[in-house]
Amino acid sequence: MVEIRKPIAVRDAIKRVMDKANALPIIEIALEDSFGYILAEPIIAMHDVPSFNNSPYDGFAIRSEDSIGASGDNRIHFRVIDHIGAGQVSKHALGKYEAVRIMTGAPIPEGADAVVMLEQAVESENTFTIRKPFKQLENISLQGEDSKKGEMLIPSGTFIHPGTIALLATFGYAKVKVRKKPIVGILCTGTELLKVEDEIEPGKIRNSNGPMIEAQLKRRGIESRYYGILSDDLESCFQLVKKVLVETDCVITTGGVSVGDFDHLPEIYRRLQADVLFNKVAMRPGSVTTAAFADDKLLFGLSGNPSACFTGYELFVKPAIENMMLNNCPFTPHTKAKLTEDFLKPNPFTRFVRSVYRFEGNEAIITPAGFNKSNAVSSIARGNALIVLPGGTRNFVAGDIVDVLLLGNENGVSSWMS
Amino acid sequence: MVEIRKPIAVRDAIKRVMDKANALPIIEIALEDSFGYILAEPIIAMHDVPSFNNSPYDGFAIRSEDSIGASGDNRIHFRVIDHIGAGQVSKHALGKYEAVRIMTGAPIPEGADAVVMLEQAVESENTFTIRKPFKQLENISLQGEDSKKGEMLIPSGTFIHPGTIALLATFGYAKVKVRKKPIVGILCTGTELLKVEDEIEPGKIRNSNGPMIEAQLKRRGIESRYYGILSDDLESCFQLVKKVLVETDCVITTGGVSVGDFDHLPEIYRRLQADVLFNKVAMRPGSVTTAAFADDKLLFGLSGNPSACFTGYELFVKPAIENMMLNNCPFTPHTKAKLTEDFLKPNPFTRFVRSVYRFEGNEAIITPAGFNKSNAVSSIARGNALIVLPGGTRNFVAGDIVDVLLLGNENGVSSWMS
């Protein structure tokens, strides 16, 4: 008898894994290693930015009151009493008609309250003239105009990108509190699987899922341990999965989750006394995608079909991993886009179609990436997005607006904007 | 006298660096290390995919002609003569009313031309019945239906992402020909600069550009060497830049490119006999951004102002690095989006505004990320995009559609699609 499994909605399946994705510990790492981690503390302005009034230009710091009445016919003369670059502090306080030659970023000297840009001055040795009045604080970058001391600038739970790092550096965070990234174990099952370096044999295929998942994790900066292709023996499979569960924070298997005669994962979950969160999802490809929970860790049983495996990772593993790091934005960005070709197949289950997303002017355009069965592999290589066609629908045609999940933006475009 | 520099258009500046970005050599790397490299060979299908007719389901392989006339009232009986899993090849050729129990992915046995899914069969020991006829090739995944042997699937010059790796694995590319990634040297100039771990001092700021550029490179998987903060001494600066030019494939400096009294880079370019490609770009922030070419390598002189430095990297360094790897899509994706607030400042030069890009339904929305001067740093941490307001324009208001450069999509969203 075939085991009858009850499919659950994609949204419910996602919720179940998100609920079980336990937060990993907080660690402290060096700022230069922090790219891609999730902040475990908010960034608070430790001081005003800028921390002192400074000159945004190369020029002369003056007292604005001395410039009153300056014009082309009434040039006002200033005497240069000091010369400072960025990082230098003038020891002089300005008197009447005195100026300090000042470079971009240098602090405004005592008494000065405006800056004459070099190109606004006519210089001669140690003096210059101006021909317009300067307002108080004209050409001055004010202390605190960017950020005020004590202000919460970036919340905990934020992905650390290059701009975040610039801000952390500004406030002297040489070490940053972040959530540990999970270490993910990968095992592939299937007696049909050859290693990448093997010659092709009748009835066999090379294992593409293992390297693919390693790369999906690497794309996110997550370390994986690849445990290779499992033997067909249930007992040794069980022992290996048990070992991986100890050695890693999260286990991904590919294949073996269906109801076929050699599908060992259901039995392995039983022996682990794992809580099976779901073993059938109302989606194509990948309806056999399974998630289980044992020893406080998630086990993902992804389909052995490449497209289904890819989709299962993106839908379930990816946000669960973000949740383990307490990312406050754990989900893949989604939008809507205009379909460029008909997609007439009925969708009894929600269908995820590997696709190419691009822009034409201000219009987002989505095109299926080719051959679209669950065993497809070429379309994974071509796509950068997934069209989402809800279950119970059919007959989408060119011009329809459809939901789209945006998977990665490493693919650039061939030309600069016109 | 202030040196007068002639600004060139952003587009022309980009073209100049792209023209000088020399291709790096081809290297061969292991498949598992290939994520993020640019393919230096096309992916050609080495064999059909699938490479043999196989079953997409768990079920029974039969001869379709034996099923003619089957119905609820006229069940047809089959005898199971073999049992194969994926990876196994049946030694039996099917005779009349014979079937092979077959698991997903297993090759269709000789003589069979259709598959009865398990749930379409009523089984008893070694036999089963069907109650509908099966067409020729029903439930069979056909050899070559995904890809045909010899087909060019992915062109040279493509970014290697997880899907590309799945395809390479399928065809047995244990080693992949790619372009070497550049090693980029980073030097920061400015006597105002403190190290991240230093206590703040009057007139000084911590160096945020160095860590930020390291992270911008790391985001793209590019290795950098950080040479620290340059001293204020011209001769030692020159010697260090010369050394970095030898040790790396591309040199990025921050600060020191303006016309201020302590801006040494123009003199260093002269001493290197570098070809200065431009030293003024009609853009804000970062009009002083400079690019030069010496010893067949690019030198980028980015502004010392954080926002200007960030923008200079994204506009010029990023596509130049892609060009060194012969990426056929070297440019940052761009689109249009609806402005959510007024931006009334005039734009004598093309203005790049750090912004947050997001979707509301099928509408792309763009919001400036806050304080927006070239010395700003907090807005770099908040933004994931740049609004591009062309030179010679002014008075953009909420609701206007503006050009947008999409800088990175690591930021997820807080909820699954509704």
Side-chain angles (χ1 to χ4, degrees), chain B residues 154-187:
Chain B
I154 301 289
S156 185
T158 301
F159 181 95
I160 298 178
H161 64 63
T164 329
I165 286 176
L167 198 56
L168 288 163
T170 299
F171 296 120
Y173 286 78
K175 301 249 173 199
V176 192
K177 286 198 177 69
V178 298
R179 288 281 162 180
K180 180 181 173 297
K181 289 181 183 177
I183 293 163
V184 178
I186 305 171
L187 299 90

Side-chain angles (χ1 to χ4, degrees), chain A residues 80-399:
Chain A
V80 180
I81 60 164
D82 198 8
H83 179 188
I84 56 170
Q88 298 174 327
V89 179
S90 179
K91 292 185 190 74
H92 299 268
L94 266 65
K96 268 201 165 189
Y97 302 108
E98 287 181 343
V100 168
R101 185 174 172 97
I102 188 170
M103 296 294 111
T104 306
I108 303 298
E110 204 184 319
D113 66 354
V115 169
V116 178
M117 294 162 69
L118 285 186
E119 47 270 48
Q120 295 174 319
V122 178
E123 297 178 61
S124 47
E125 211 183 325
N126 280 329
T127 66
F128 64 92
T129 63
I130 56 171
R131 51 179 188 180
K132 78 166 206 74
F134 285 77
K135 291 193 292 281
Q136 231 186 337
L137 301 181
E138 186 165 343
N139 295 335
I140 288 185
S141 287
L142 292 174
Q143 178 173 341
E145 67 179 4
D146 182 333
S147 310
K148 294 258 182 265
K149 181 175 177 174
E151 206 182 328
M152 200 279 279
L153 296 171
I154 302 288
S156 184
T158 301
F159 180 96
I160 299 178
H161 65 63
T164 329
I165 287 177
L167 198 56
L168 288 164
T170 298
F171 295 121
Y173 287 80
K175 301 250 175 198
V176 192
K177 286 198 178 69
V178 299
R179 289 280 162 181
K180 179 180 173 301
K181 290 181 183 177
I183 293 165
V184 179
I186 305 171
L187 300 90
C188 299
T189 79
T191 40
E192 77 278 27
L193 296 182
L194 301 169
K195 288 189 213 141
V196 173
E197 56 271 28
D198 291 340
E199 282 303 308
I200 202 87
E201 285 175 34
K204 305 224 169 190
I205 58 170
R206 294 195 188 89
N207 175 22
S208 59
N209 289 332
M212 180 178 73
I213 292 173
E214 275 186 286
Q216 283 173 298
L217 290 161
K218 197 170 185 182
R219 176 188 244 175
R220 177 57 185 88
I222 302 289
E223 192 188 326
S224 63
R225 294 203 190 140
Y226 180 55
Y227 290 86
I229 299 169
L230 285 185
S231 80
D232 209 25
D233 174 62
L234 175 61
E235 178 59 27
S236 60
C237 282
F238 168 65
Q239 292 302 337
L240 183 56
V241 173
K242 222 168 99 171
K243 173 178 137 87
V244 178
L245 194 58
V246 171
E247 293 180 354
T248 65
D249 298 304
C250 173
V251 182
I252 300 176
T253 55
T254 68
V257 283
S258 191
V259 294
D261 305 338
F262 308 101
D263 287 322
H264 292 324
L265 266 300
E267 175 59 22
I268 290 172
Y269 296 136
R270 267 188 291 277
R271 293 196 187 182
L272 287 173
Q273 298 184 284
D275 177 12
V276 174
L277 306 177
F278 52 83
N279 59 16
K280 182 99 178 170
V281 187
M283 62 186 266
R284 291 266 185 270
S287 67
V288 297
T289 305
T290 297
F293 187 71
D295 295 343
D296 279 339
K297 292 172 185 172
L298 281 165
L299 297 99
F300 292 96
L302 303 183
S303 165
N305 270 323
S307 286
C309 181
F310 177 84
T311 306
Y313 177 92
E314 296 293 333
L315 291 183
F316 305 112
V317 184
K318 195 168 154 184
I321 283 176
E322 298 300 338
N323 237 17
M324 291 178 205
M325 300 185 285
L326 290 190
N327 184 342
N328 52 24
C329 288
F331 293 103
T332 302
H334 42 84
T335 181
K336 290 172 190 274
K338 195 168 87 176
L339 195 57
T340 58
E341 50 187 69
D342 296 352
F343 198 95
L344 301 177
K345 275 195 249 185
N347 310 298
F349 283 175
T350 299
R351 190 186 295 278
F352 295 89
V353 186
R354 292 162 305 289
S355 304
V356 177
Y357 175 80
R358 67 181 201 284
F359 296 105
E360 278 182 19
N362 58 345
E363 198 163 54
I365 298 286
I366 190 92
T367 305
F371 181 68
N372 190 50
K373 283 163 70 170
S374 62
N375 61 341
V377 63
S378 64
S379 60
I380 315 175
R382 292 192 193 101
N384 62 358
L386 291 172
I387 295 175
V388 186
L389 303 176
T393 59
R394 62 158 67 221
N395 285 357
F396 287 88
V397 297

Side-chain angles (χ1 to χ4, degrees), chain B residues 209 213 253-258 285-290 301-310 312 374:
Chain B
N209 289 332
I213 293 173
T253 54
T254 68
V257 283
S258 190
S287 67
V288 297
T289 306
T290 298
L302 303 183
S303 166
N305 271 323
S307 287
C309 182
F310 177 83
S374 63

